[in-house]
Amino acid sequence: MKMISGMGKETSEISDHIKLHVENGKILSLKTHRVSKSVEEHIKEAVGLILDRLTHPTLVPTLYTIIKELAINACKANQKRVFFEERGYSMSIPGEYAKGVREYKEMFSEEMSNEFGIKAKKKGYYCLINFNYTDHGITIEVINNTPIAKQEEKAIRERLEKGMVYDDIAQFYMDNADNTEGAGLGLALILIMLKGEGIDPNYFRIIIGEDSTTARLEIPLTKNFTSVRKSKPS
């Protein structure tokens, strides 16, 4: 995947479930339907190549962990959508939503993830990871093209608000062990990791649209970095 230094546009199928797109050496996209070991490796390589080029290699572990977490969440959201569609459950009816989530969690396994990843691909659902970078900073967006239920939106907002007040992930686990799902711990971990790197956690945002959910992370590398939030509403 050494195409990052090239100019122009280039798109290639890396495997059956991941596509790479590079444009002008400043935009790199990875599109997938499930987070396999291969996908993890390509995320890590993309992060490493970009940060090496921008001379910030020490950020690789943190950025890789964050993007992997977001990609897993995005793919699981798509797979859950397929699960609901197959069983005829509505995500907008509280009772059906609760039943569907409960059944999905009880049945979930690695084998199921592979199966529903394939089904998601056939239905046109995907996870798109966009890297847009300059010498002044990096903007990463992890997008999945399925709408989000109102219950999920409320839970995400609450988890982000709660995570903002912690600086220690161990303390967060201790305080929330009984009532926090894995995704909530993941979002809190992201905020805490950013604080540990001296990055303002307000540069991390979840943008919820009618037909998609976008997790956006901006990493300023110089004082000349311009946030997307300053140029358009998020």
Side-chain angles (χ1 to χ4, degrees):
M1 203 175 69
K2 301 297 183 183
M3 293 183 290
I4 194 169
S5 60
M7 299 298 288
K9 298 181 180 181
E10 188 167 357
T11 301
S12 63
E13 294 283 349
I14 296 175
S15 68
D16 290 340
H17 54 274
I18 185 168
K19 182 182 290 185
L20 170 69
H21 175 77
V22 179
E23 183 176 344
N24 295 326
K26 293 296 182 185
I27 301 173
L28 184 150
S29 300
L30 297 170
K31 185 177 182 181
T32 188
H33 310 275
R34 59 188 176 91
V35 181
S36 64
K37 290 296 182 183
S38 173
V39 173
E40 291 178 9
E41 289 169 3
H42 284 100
I43 291 173
K44 191 170 188 177
E45 186 173 1
V47 171
L49 287 168
I50 291 170
L51 289 174
D52 184 62
R53 176 171 178 166
L54 300 177
T55 65
H56 282 75
T58 57
L59 282 175
V60 170
T62 295
L63 203 50
Y64 164 68
T65 301
I66 290 173
I67 295 170
K68 177 183 170 182
E69 174 71 21
L70 293 173
I72 289 172
N73 287 349
C75 289
K76 282 184 176 179
N78 289 345
Q79 292 167 16
K80 185 165 66 176
R81 169 67 57 169
V82 175
F83 182 86
F84 270 61
E85 289 174 352
E86 287 190 348
R87 282 156 179 75
Y89 294 149
S90 170
M91 299 188 81
S92 61
I93 300 175
E96 291 189 13
Y97 173 80
K99 182 179 180 182
V101 168
R102 184 172 61 253
E103 291 181 9
Y104 178 77
K105 288 180 179 178
E106 290 173 352
M107 295 177 61
F108 186 80
S109 66
E110 188 63 32
E111 182 179 344
M112 179 180 169
S113 177
N114 293 336
E115 174 190 349
F116 276 78
I118 294 170
K119 289 180 178 181
K121 181 178 181 180
K122 290 180 178 178
K123 286 179 171 286
Y125 298 146
Y126 58 78
C127 167
L128 182 65
I129 307 169
N130 289 328
F131 300 84
N132 196 330
Y133 50 98
T134 70
D135 292 339
H136 302 302
I138 310 167
T139 298
I140 300 133
E141 292 186 336
V142 180
I143 305 163
N144 63 291
N145 62 331
T146 52
I148 194 168
K150 290 297 183 184
Q151 297 95 319
E152 292 174 338
E153 179 177 356
K154 182 174 182 291
I156 286 172
R157 300 301 183 197
E158 290 175 351
R159 291 164 189 163
L160 289 173
E161 288 177 11
K162 185 172 288 188
M164 286 291 283
V165 304
Y166 285 87
D167 294 312
D168 181 357
I169 192 64
Q171 188 62 48
F172 181 86
Y173 271 96
M174 290 173 62
D175 292 348
N176 299 276
D178 296 333
N179 57 9
T180 306
E181 298 176 16
L185 291 174
L187 291 174
L189 175 62
I190 288 171
L191 298 178
I192 293 168
M193 290 181 74
L194 291 174
K195 292 176 188 177
E197 295 288 352
I199 299 169
D200 185 346
N202 286 301
Y203 279 111
F204 177 66
R205 277 288 187 266
I206 304 289
I207 303 106
I208 298 172
E210 290 185 7
D211 299 308
S212 66
T213 304
T214 300
R216 179 196 296 148
L217 173 61
E218 298 178 294
I219 308 290
L221 299 178
T222 76
K223 63 181 181 181
N224 294 321
F225 178 76
T226 300
S227 170
V228 174
R229 295 171 58 201
K230 292 182 178 180
S231 58
K232 64 180 181 180
S234 55

